[in-house]
């Protein structure tokens, strides 16, 4: 290698050649920070995302539905764990990530700051929110950071069941009694726009996107992913006979895509700032569980210490 | 590390006989028994007949990267860049 | 038999009724405990334990479904697992009072699980050799899960007991508080005699249970309260603590609001 080639350039060439970066490889500090921010945000979204659904486990209307929902929320816990684990390979301890979540320094997907007043929301979340997440995650299986890509492969394998589960709930409602049908429509009305916001601001307003694309952390732009999601979802809504709450939504044969109405970005930024209906509730819930569990975690550590001291005593020195 | 944080373990699974154990990720646990149980819960969702190894991450010695590696950087023998392995006083922020 | 108010409960069972009653004991224990454990979802002390406790909730609810399916077959008249879970009132629930006790803190939940898991372990182990084929098959499947649960909760009892001073005091108090609900598990019941040797009497499990619970508590440096202490009763006859009404109220609310809907 010529001495004139900077490490940054070498790194870029390496990534450009579709090589994976592994934990102990040299990487630009900003690459590392970007990954920590993104992976931990992704992990937090899985964990906070448990709450709006856990909310309905005790009231699920059939034992089968209860079991499926419980398994799904458990998967989310598992996915959060895979992601924390990937972030930890970058030298960021989980305790630090959790502290940042609780202090508000770290973000999570703003969609989870909306409430789930209706059983239909269990369907809509699976169908739209998980659907949108999958769009993003499939792209991330090819991300340049090895541990992140591997976590995403595992997550994607399990996640496809979530979307089907959600769609099945909505389908049963849409094909059920008139009351069930209006439950499904009402829920779609509430979740449609926040789901579109999940892909983040449009490309001209997304400050970190360009660098992330260059490093191949991100492989598709926010707007591209959003358009793919809309194109995929509209026929699914039509199949159910539900109406997407957007008067401007229509197929554009020239573009080969659906045109859609203006997203209310002021709502998006307000929710991110902390002004969504459930921001405070979600963090308070997380803090309470964490604080209530402190004595349990301490006890387990104390016990482990005693046990290893006992073992050391029982084992004669070699 | 505060008294209420559990240490990090690396998890290796043999999905069936004839294959070797493969690294699948990590988790936190207070002791080895708990780490094995958690690994079973998290990484196998309780599949039967799977062999699990758990190793405290701090016990793994890793080779130093080769100077010829494209992304060479002089590095220690830790498995990751884990600042968790160093006790940082509580009053030092943003570590 | 304690409690004069139990004098008016049903005590005569045909063989067919006795079999159903026995299945309700098993099914309702599983469902109510699973329902309670599921409330830990997103509330556990650490992510890994959230996942672990959800696993046990899944096992309990899964087992309840198998048992209700068998019951629905015996009940006929269009009964399904869901009509049995969602459209029976508290008077018809036959779970032990222990499982309807509140979750409380992690130690309370662990203690409750430990007492019932240990019971379930010996019960389902003997059900694997029972003379009712359908129950035998369910027990064969369940015993793997139950061994895992019993070990998990016992390990936690030891960890908390022999952990910090605080955890020791907490788990000892949990055991002490829950103790009076444990005796009912081994109480004699008229159905055992009717069923004769087809299905094991719960009374037969008592000695093994006391021995195992004693051993585990000792490992956790905890004191076992006396099995001779005054014990509560009623659950197996449909006479419950006030907790059950709230548990069912929450669980059944949606299903009952739309009784003609299918989900």
């Amino acid at each position: 290698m010529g001495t004139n080639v900077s490490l940054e350039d070498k790194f870029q060439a390496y990534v450009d050649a579709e090589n994976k970066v592994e934990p102990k490889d040299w990487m630009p500090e900003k690459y590392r920070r970007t990954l920590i921010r993104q992976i931990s945000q992704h992990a937090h979204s899985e964990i906070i995302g448990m709450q709006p659904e856990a909310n309905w486990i005790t009231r699920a209307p059939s034992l089968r539905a209860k079991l499926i929902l419980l398994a799904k929320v458990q998967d989310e816990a598992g996915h959060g764990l895979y992601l924390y684990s990937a972030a930890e390979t970058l030298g960021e301890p989980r305790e630090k990530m959790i502290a940042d979540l609780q202090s508000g320094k770290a973000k999570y997907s703003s969609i989870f700051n909306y409430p789930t007043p209706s059983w239909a929301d269990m369907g809509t979340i699976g169908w739209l929110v998980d659907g949108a997440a999958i769009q993003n995650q499939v792209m991330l299986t090819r991300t340049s950071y090895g541990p992140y890509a591997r976590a995403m492969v595992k997550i994607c394998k399990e996640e496809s069941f979530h979307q089907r589960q959600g769609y099945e709930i909505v389908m049963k409602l849409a094909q059920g009694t008139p009351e069930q049908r209006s439950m499904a429509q009402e829920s779609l009305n509430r979740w449609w726009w926040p789901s579109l916001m999940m892909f983040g601001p449009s490309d001209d307003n997304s400050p970190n996107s360009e660098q992330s694309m260059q490093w191949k952390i991100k492989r598709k732009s926010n707007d591209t992913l959003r358009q793919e999601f809309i194109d995929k979802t509209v026929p699914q809504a039509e199949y159910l006979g539900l109406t997407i709450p957007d008067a401007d939504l229509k197929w554009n044969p020239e573009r080969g895509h659906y045109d859609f109405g203006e997203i209310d970005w002021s709502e998006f930024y307000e929710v991110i700032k902390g002004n969504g209906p459930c921001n405070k509730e979600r963090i308070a819930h997380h803090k309470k569980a964490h604080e209530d569990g402190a004595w349990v975690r301490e006890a387990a550590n104390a016990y482990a210490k005693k046990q290893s001291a006992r073992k050391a005593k029982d084992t004669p020195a070699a | 590390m505060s008294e209420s944080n559990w240490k990090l373990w690396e998890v290796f699974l043999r999905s069936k006989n004839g294959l070797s154990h493969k690294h699948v990720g990590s988790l936190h646990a207070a002791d080895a028994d708990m780490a094995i149980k958690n690994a079973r819960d998290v990484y196998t969702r309780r599949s039967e007949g799977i062999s699990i190894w758990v190793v405290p991450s701090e016990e793994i010695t890793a080779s130093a990267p080769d100077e010829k590696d494209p992304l060479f950087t002089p590095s220690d023998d830790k498995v990751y860049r884990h600042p968790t392995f160093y006790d940082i006083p509580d009053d030092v922020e943003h570590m | 038999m304690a409690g004069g108010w139990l004098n008016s409960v049903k005590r005569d069972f045909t063989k067919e009724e006795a079999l159903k009653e026995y299945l309700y004991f098993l099914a309702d224990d599983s469902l109510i405990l699973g329902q309670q454990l599921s409330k830990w979802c997103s509330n556990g002390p650490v992510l890994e334990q959230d996942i672990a406790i959800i696993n046990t909730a899944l096992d309990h609810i899964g087992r309840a479904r198998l048992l209700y399916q068998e019951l629905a077959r015996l009940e006929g008249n269009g009964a399904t697992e869901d009509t049995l879970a969602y459209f029976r009132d508290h008077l018809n629930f036959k779970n032990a009072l222990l499982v309807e006790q509140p979750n409380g803190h992690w130690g309370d939940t662990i203690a409750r699980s430990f007492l019932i898991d240990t019971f379930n372990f010996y019960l389902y182990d003997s059900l694997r050799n029972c003379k009712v084929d359908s129950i035998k098959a369910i027990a064969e499947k369940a015993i793997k899960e139950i061994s895992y649960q019993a070990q998990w909760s016992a390990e936690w009892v030891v960890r908390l007991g022999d952990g910090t001073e605080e955890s020791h005091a907490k788990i000892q108090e949990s055991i002490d508080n829950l103790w009076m609900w444990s005796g009912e598990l081994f109480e004699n019941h008229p159905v055992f005699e009717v069923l004769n040797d087809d299905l094991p009497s719960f009374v037969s499990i008592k000695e093994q249970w006391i021995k195992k619970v004693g051993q585990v508590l000792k490992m956790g440096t905890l004191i076992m309260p006396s099995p001779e202490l005054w014990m509560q009763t009623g659950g197996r006859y449909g006479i419950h603590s006030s907790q059950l009404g709230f548990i069912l109220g929450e669980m059944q609310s949606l299903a009952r609001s739309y009784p003609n809907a299918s989900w």
Side-chain angles (χ1 to χ4, degrees):
Chain A
M1 284 284 165
T3 43
N4 296 336
V5 185
S6 75
L7 275 170
E8 269 87 358
D9 292 342
K10 244 165 98 180
F11 182 83
Q12 188 61 56
Y14 181 82
V15 167
D16 284 342
E18 295 294 334
N19 292 304
K20 296 287 180 218
V21 180
E22 292 297 337
K24 288 181 49 149
D25 290 336
W26 183 88
M27 60 187 81
E29 182 55 18
K30 206 179 151 216
Y31 176 85
R32 194 177 78 91
R33 297 298 336 161
T34 302
L35 275 171
I36 290 174
R37 187 174 49 81
Q38 187 178 326
I39 302 173
S40 68
Q41 186 171 322
H42 197 160
H44 297 328
S45 301
E46 297 279 357
I47 299 310
I48 296 295
M50 293 167 71
Q51 291 180 28
E53 291 178 280
N55 178 28
W56 274 96
I57 289 170
T58 55
R59 294 174 293 163
S62 74
L63 293 180
R64 178 175 175 270
K66 189 190 288 290
L67 214 51
I68 293 175
L69 183 60
L70 195 52
K72 187 195 165 200
V73 182
Q74 187 194 37
D75 273 351
E76 278 153 17
H79 296 171
L81 196 143
Y82 299 161
L83 288 160
Y84 283 130
S85 163
E88 286 195 276
T89 65
L90 291 156
E92 185 82 342
R94 195 200 293 175
E95 62 201 87
K96 166 81 165 42
M97 293 185 260
I98 289 189
D100 286 350
L101 168 67
Q102 294 184 347
S103 72
K105 195 180 150 204
K107 302 290 179 209
Y108 53 88
S109 181
S110 59
I111 193 95
F112 300 118
N113 290 316
Y114 291 89
T116 47
S118 161
W119 168 253
D121 297 338
M122 298 305 101
T124 314
I125 288 182
W127 173 31
L128 298 184
V129 176
D130 293 327
I134 289 169
Q135 205 75 34
N136 199 30
Q137 286 164 346
V138 167
M139 163 190 85
L140 289 171
T141 59
R142 298 187 299 122
T143 193
S144 58
Y145 187 57
Y148 193 19
R150 291 193 286 275
M152 284 332 305
V153 169
K154 242 186 316 209
I155 289 172
C156 282
K157 257 187 224 160
E158 297 177 6
E159 194 90 17
S160 64
F161 134 76
H162 293 182
Q163 204 195 359
R164 281 201 301 269
Q165 165 265 355
Y167 195 69
E168 190 199 79
I169 292 177
V170 183
M171 194 159 69
K172 282 198 171 154
L173 295 174
Q175 296 168 353
T177 65
E179 287 148 315
Q180 284 178 302
R181 199 173 170 69
S182 62
M183 237 187 243
Q185 181 64 52
E186 185 278 332
S187 178
L188 173 60
N189 294 349
R190 270 184 293 114
W191 290 94
W192 175 253
W193 291 102
S195 301
L196 297 189
M197 295 177 198
M198 280 179 73
F199 297 97
S202 61
D203 297 341
D204 19 338
N205 285 318
S206 182
N208 303 316
S209 275
E210 203 183 323
Q211 178 70 79
S212 286
M213 297 274 283
Q214 206 185 345
W215 277 331
K216 297 190 190 290
I217 294 175
K218 232 177 121 93
R219 323 247 351 183
K220 285 178 183 177
S221 77
N222 293 353
D223 286 333
T224 307
L225 289 167
R226 186 165 19 241
Q227 184 72 60
E228 284 177 5
F229 171 74
I230 292 171
D231 291 349
K232 197 180 73 176
T233 309
V234 174
Q236 292 169 353
E238 280 167 0
Y239 176 81
L240 297 174
L242 297 176
T243 309
I244 288 177
D246 178 357
D248 298 323
L249 187 79
K250 69 167 192 292
W251 178 252
N252 181 331
E254 271 165 49
R255 289 204 307 128
H257 292 294
Y258 282 92
D259 290 337
F260 56 97
E262 199 62 39
I263 293 172
D264 180 3
W265 290 110
S266 59
E267 174 179 329
F268 175 75
Y269 288 113
E270 284 300 326
V271 176
I272 285 193
K273 262 198 293 184
N275 296 326
C278 302
N279 298 56
K280 289 189 184 72
E281 180 186 331
R282 299 289 183 241
I283 293 300
H285 179 131
H286 192 274
K287 269 190 190 160
K288 183 175 187 309
H290 192 69
E291 282 160 19
D292 287 353
W295 71 272
V296 177
R297 298 191 301 274
E298 277 163 28
N301 267 344
Y303 174 74
K305 229 181 241 175
K306 286 187 202 174
Q307 279 295 85
S308 60
R310 278 174 212 143
K311 236 190 209 162
K313 221 172 119 192
D314 291 346
T315 317
Chain B
M1 207 193 308
S2 101
E3 285 304 306
S4 77
N5 291 310
W6 292 348
K7 68 178 170 184
L8 191 64
W9 302 70
E10 300 299 321
V11 181
F12 301 81
L13 292 184
R14 185 201 346 253
S15 51
K16 62 176 191 196
N17 279 5
L19 299 175
S20 47
H21 284 76
K22 191 177 153 210
H23 182 242
V24 290
S26 64
L27 51 76
H28 289 262
D31 56 51
D33 285 343
M34 196 197 269
I36 287 276
K37 275 213 165 55
N38 286 166
R40 200 170 148 213
D41 284 335
V42 173
Y43 286 101
T44 76
R45 297 287 198 280
R46 312 271 299 274
S47 312
E48 302 287 331
I50 273 186
S51 162
I52 304 173
W53 289 351
V54 291
V55 187
S57 306
E58 60 190 2
E59 300 289 339
I60 296 181
T61 306
S63 62
D66 195 304
E67 250 180 274
K68 292 189 202 81
D69 284 349
L71 299 179
F72 170 76
T73 172
S75 164
D76 55 28
D77 59 356
K78 299 295 181 208
V79 62
Y80 306 132
R81 317 145 170 258
H82 276 304
T84 12
F85 300 150
Y86 311 102
D87 281 326
I88 297 160
D90 285 345
D91 48 357
V92 181
E93 279 189 56
H94 307 301
M95 286 295 288
Chain C
M1 174 62 54
W5 40 276
L6 277 172
N7 288 339
S8 46
V9 298
K10 178 177 167 77
R11 297 196 181 279
D12 298 323
F13 294 89
T14 64
K15 188 141 186 176
E16 201 196 330
E17 284 172 338
L19 173 62
K20 285 194 279 186
E21 202 68 1
Y22 194 99
L23 274 164
Y24 279 118
F25 297 165
L26 303 181
D28 292 345
D29 276 2
S30 291
L31 178 62
I32 299 301
L33 186 60
Q35 172 78 0
Q36 299 259 74
L37 291 170
S38 75
K39 290 185 211 160
W40 274 101
C41 189
S42 82
N43 292 302
V46 73
L47 189 49
E48 283 81 353
Q49 294 302 322
D50 241 57
I51 294 171
I53 202 163
I54 298 171
N55 258 339
T56 67
L58 282 168
D59 287 345
H60 281 105
I61 295 167
R63 195 191 318 147
R65 283 187 75 192
L66 295 178
L67 292 159
Y68 285 133
Q69 284 161 11
E70 180 58 18
L71 269 163
R73 201 179 60 79
L74 297 173
E75 293 283 11
N77 287 325
T80 66
E81 60 180 67
D82 288 329
T83 62
L84 297 179
Y86 289 92
F87 292 92
R88 275 184 308 142
D89 286 320
H90 62 98
L91 285 172
N92 293 315
F93 267 77
K94 302 294 164 64
N95 59 280
L97 299 168
L98 177 64
V99 297
E100 66 196 48
Q101 298 312 304
N103 280 351
H105 58 59
W106 184 254
D108 294 329
T109 290
I110 288 295
R112 185 186 62 198
S113 279
F114 167 61
L115 299 177
I116 188 80
D117 291 349
T118 309
F119 169 75
N120 279 337
F121 176 77
Y122 292 115
L123 175 60
Y124 279 78
D125 188 41
S126 61
L127 285 173
R128 291 160 76 196
N129 301 312
C130 74
K131 291 180 186 143
V132 181
D133 285 342
S134 56
I135 300 185
K136 200 172 150 165
I138 293 172
E140 200 58 59
K141 179 182 179 297
I143 193 69
K144 286 184 203 134
E145 303 161 359
I146 293 171
S147 322
Y148 181 86
Q149 289 158 5
Q151 203 184 338
W152 179 79
S153 54
E155 278 175 12
W156 266 109
V157 166
V158 174
R159 229 176 245 131
L160 296 176
D162 194 18
T164 61
E165 232 173 275
E166 183 189 6
S167 69
H168 178 89
K170 278 198 155 114
I171 187 77
Q172 181 71 62
E173 196 186 1
S174 307
I175 295 279
D176 293 348
N177 288 342
L178 287 168
W179 196 251
M180 67 175 177
W181 310 103
S182 70
E184 186 194 26
L185 297 175
F186 319 103
E187 213 173 64
N188 202 0
H189 193 285
V191 302
F192 298 145
E193 204 189 322
V194 180
L195 290 166
N196 205 358
D197 282 337
D198 286 0
L199 288 161
S201 154
F202 296 175
V203 182
S204 66
I205 293 157
K206 187 172 182 179
E207 263 177 59
Q208 291 168 298
W209 184 89
I210 290 174
K211 199 171 152 213
K212 179 52 101 185
V213 166
Q215 279 170 357
V216 171
L217 291 177
K218 197 171 163 211
M219 279 171 72
T221 69
L222 296 161
I223 293 162
M224 180 164 93
S226 164
E228 304 309 317
L229 288 173
W230 179 256
M231 295 290 173
Q232 304 301 325
T233 180
R236 301 297 187 208
Y237 301 91
I239 311 236
H240 290 275
S241 65
S242 38
Q243 314 289 346
L244 188 68
F246 291 102
I247 297 169
L248 296 181
E250 185 177 5
M251 184 177 80
Q252 298 175 335
S253 59
L254 180 60
R256 287 189 177 209
S257 301
Y258 303 93
N260 299 319
S262 75
W263 308 91

